Amino acid sequence: MKKLIGLVALCVAVGMLVMLFMTNRFVGLILIVLLLLIGYNFFCCD
């Protein structure tokens, strides 16, 4: 289950990266960093 949550968080972070170029950059950047950290921890760690 953790790997699935991690994969979803990474995919959402990629989507947020696309959003970064369209609208409010500061909020998008914060969400990208948080989701990348969560995704990495869930997907790569036991």
Side-chain angles (χ1 to χ4, degrees):
M1 188 66 181
K2 280 187 172 184
K3 288 193 180 222
L4 179 64
I5 293 171
L7 181 63
V8 169
L10 286 172
C11 290
V12 170
V14 170
M16 299 296 282
L17 186 61
V18 172
M19 189 272 309
L20 181 66
F21 297 109
M22 296 180 190
T23 61
N24 191 353
R25 292 180 183 223
F26 182 69
V27 174
L29 184 63
I30 290 173
L31 289 173
I32 289 166
V33 170
L34 287 175
L35 288 171
L36 283 172
L37 288 173
I38 291 169
Y40 177 76
N41 284 334
F42 280 171
F43 192 70
C44 294
C45 298
D46 293 291

